[in-house]
Amino acid sequence: MDDALDPLVPRPLDRPRPVPLDHDADLTSLDTGKILAAPDDPADWPRWREQLARWRDEARDQQNHDGTLYERDDLRWTRGCFVVSQVWLWDELLYDFETHQFTPERLLADARERFGGFDGVVLWHAYPVIGIDDRNQWDYYRSVPGLGRLVDDLHAAGVRVFVDYNPWDVGTRRSGPDAEELASLVADLDIDGVFLDTLKQGGAELLEQLDAARPGVAVEGESTLALERLVDHPLSWAQWFADSRVPGVVRSRWFEQRHQMHHVRRWNRDHSDELQSAWLNGIGVMVWEVVFGVWVGWNQRDAGTLRRMAAAQRALVDVLTDGTWTPLPDLGEEAAASGVYAARYEHATGVFTPMVNRSGADAKLVVAGRDGLTAHDLWSGSRLGEGEVEVIVPAHGIGGVWQTAADADVSWLSPLSLEVPTARFEHRRSRLVARRGPSWADGRAGAGAPSVRVPAGEHVVTVRYRCRETGLYDDAPFVDEWKPLHPRLHDQRTLDRVVSLLDDVGVATTEVSERDFAVFVSETGHEPVVTAGDGPAWVGRSAAESDDDRPVTEVDLGDARAYAAWAGGRLPTEDEWQLAGEAGGLARLQPEVWNLTESERTDGRTRYAILKGGSRHRSQGSDWYFDGGVRGPEFSAKYLVPGLGLGRSTSIGFRVAWDLAEETP
């Protein structure tokens, strides 16, 4: 296989860019690199550093680089925003589906315990559910009750809040130019930053409108930011940056030392490479454990390493951004032979020497003293004293020394003595949230309604689905892969399994109609538990005003379960729905809509359900939209369930199923 297409091998554009070492070499090839590779031979490092400095000087002159943005007081916070987490707005650490309340205290408590806290949170909101109907990306923020209060609570906890901008959202309803909509949202919610999704940099109009709406808003581009745009983007997320064997320097950070970046490889279960690169380059890391509904949690060792890193980086932010940075200083032959590499940051307040260990064994190193400065171990948090000191850098880990005045405040070092566990990935398996609707006194004899009979016994079910980043059930679709691309991303996949049904089941021939549901509401007084925006259209609609040929929509699982119980039945499982459809006889009311099934699952962080049947609605213009179009019974779609009523859609309805008694001869 061509290694450019091997999912476990970095693409050419992700690989570290070699630095020419000839004195008269053309260095412009470095302008578009991600990480500038370091030579393997320590004897070449001095020349390598000279070439890096020469390239930076020449590139700055060529770009006429202006660092005014980084001197603004209202953007100074970006320098210290080291740990950012991408969080699905309905992550069950952030939102409680039982009480229908946001719970930022749970998310932040978990972050403090495991990672040492978050400096920023990206509230990821629309993808991967957007496109199921005509709602646009702004609707998925604007329709959330209490979102402003959530932002205020995060701010009160000292956490910066980012929103997500999807420039590919061109096929849903148009409500205004993107720049205006985003600026208005930022102003109304008091947002600190904007994450650009699939977009390396924002246009001039976008940046101008954001700055006018709320000065101090930071725009964070995805992946490789062009040199000329480092003047107006104080942040970028360093997605899929591969380092050299000997650690190199991150190009954007070397060019503009005050530019903050967040290393991330979203599908990895081992983050030691990103952590080591971030540690030496003085940049941040993105914690992304729920990747669009798939659990790819951080192992305990990496989380503990980040806890140490973040404490040091926050305390030494001025050293990292304003100090004199020397990559790969000479630590002696023993260090290089042991696989230990370092950087050095010299500042008026002291000297910071971060180190990384690429080997599988702990390494003990000697660090030269600095006159009048006291050394502290950045792995153990202990005071080492003055003069020459010894420090241990753990296998595949980080370490380092902070040398500062004896009376300097180093209270931030005390938590670093916490033990870091060994690596262990926590697998999460979702469980069915099987719920029956309320029991009604006059429960109906639904078994006699027109239905397709599915016999008891074992059935082989072949499920087809489009492999988006959500996967279909629990397993991550792209473990340890570099950027998923076609043909693996968005391709059609097949899953076979054996299903056992204990009893015969009847699945209703048609969906529940608007009129059916209106009668139910009239007789029971059923009301939506939570609503978003103006609430579902069926509220207050009489049977006379309802259509018997249109499926009821804008229902959530609670609404559908309540109706099914009133009808003496329940929702069909996804397998029962499919088997009935493949047997023939399932009709569709018009317009066709997705059908809910009794398939709600949660792994404690993500709640989702399987939809069947497809819908007439199809959002055009992007592969990132939810699946649209009418589908065969074998097709399944994973629907991440939003809270506070946003899960209701004009493209989702349901039908009822009944357990059938055995026929007597």
Side-chain angles (χ1 to χ4, degrees), residues 241-500:
F241 280 34
D243 205 352
S244 45
R245 188 189 70 81
V246 174
V249 298
V250 176
R251 184 264 296 171
S252 293
R253 180 71 170 192
W254 178 253
F255 182 85
E256 173 51 79
Q257 198 169 324
R258 295 165 294 183
H259 181 78
Q260 181 62 281
M261 305 182 74
H262 298 110
H263 254 305
V264 56
R265 280 187 62 185
R266 66 176 73 169
W267 298 110
N268 277 34
R269 291 176 175 169
D270 183 330
H271 295 280
S272 55
D273 286 347
E274 301 114 283
L275 290 168
Q276 289 193 350
S277 179
W279 183 234
L280 293 182
N281 284 274
I283 60 176
V285 168
M286 182 185 296
V287 175
W288 197 352
E289 295 194 292
V290 179
V291 182
F292 304 126
V294 176
W295 174 250
V296 194
W298 278 48
N299 65 58
Q300 294 180 359
R301 181 201 64 204
D302 290 345
T305 298
L306 179 55
R307 188 169 62 237
R308 277 174 162 76
M309 279 179 52
Q313 289 177 321
R314 289 165 185 150
L316 303 178
V317 58
D318 291 340
V319 178
L320 292 170
T321 56
D322 298 327
T324 301
W325 176 12
T326 303
L328 297 179
D330 184 10
L331 296 181
E333 294 182 3
E334 184 177 348
S338 300
V340 175
Y341 307 98
R344 181 177 297 135
Y345 296 85
E346 299 179 80
H347 187 262
T349 58
V351 180
F352 173 38
T353 307
M355 303 175 187
V356 302
N357 186 347
R358 299 285 219 213
S359 77
D362 293 353
K364 181 183 293 186
L365 299 175
V366 174
V367 177
R370 294 291 183 115
D371 290 344
L373 300 183
T374 299
H376 303 267
D377 188 328
L378 290 177
W379 182 250
S380 67
S382 60
R383 182 181 184 279
L384 298 175
E386 299 179 0
E388 188 177 85
V389 296
E390 283 188 342
V391 60
I392 293 177
V393 185
H396 299 302
I398 68 164
V401 174
W402 168 234
Q403 294 165 302
T404 188
D407 59 352
D409 180 10
V410 290
S411 58
W412 54 271
L413 283 163
S414 56
L416 300 189
S417 60
L418 293 172
E419 179 183 358
V420 174
T422 56
R424 183 177 68 83
F425 174 75
E426 176 193 1
H427 288 273
R428 284 178 176 263
R429 290 288 177 261
S430 63
R431 58 179 177 80
L432 279 170
V433 186
R435 294 180 179 175
R436 308 286 271 190
S439 297
W440 302 96
D442 63 343
R444 308 228 167 167
S451 64
V452 176
R453 194 180 193 98
V454 180
E458 287 193 347
H459 302 266
V460 177
V461 175
T462 298
V463 177
R464 301 187 187 280
Y465 65 100
R466 182 166 65 108
C467 185
R468 302 187 300 154
E469 290 167 291
T470 62
L472 183 59
Y473 294 113
D474 299 326
D475 292 333
F478 311 109
V479 177
D480 291 335
E481 293 194 15
W482 289 81
K483 186 173 185 178
L485 299 168
H486 295 290
R488 291 181 55 75
L489 182 61
H490 302 307
D491 64 341
Q492 301 296 319
R493 300 194 181 185
T494 301
L495 174 68
D496 294 324
R497 66 172 185 274
V498 176
V499 175
S500 295

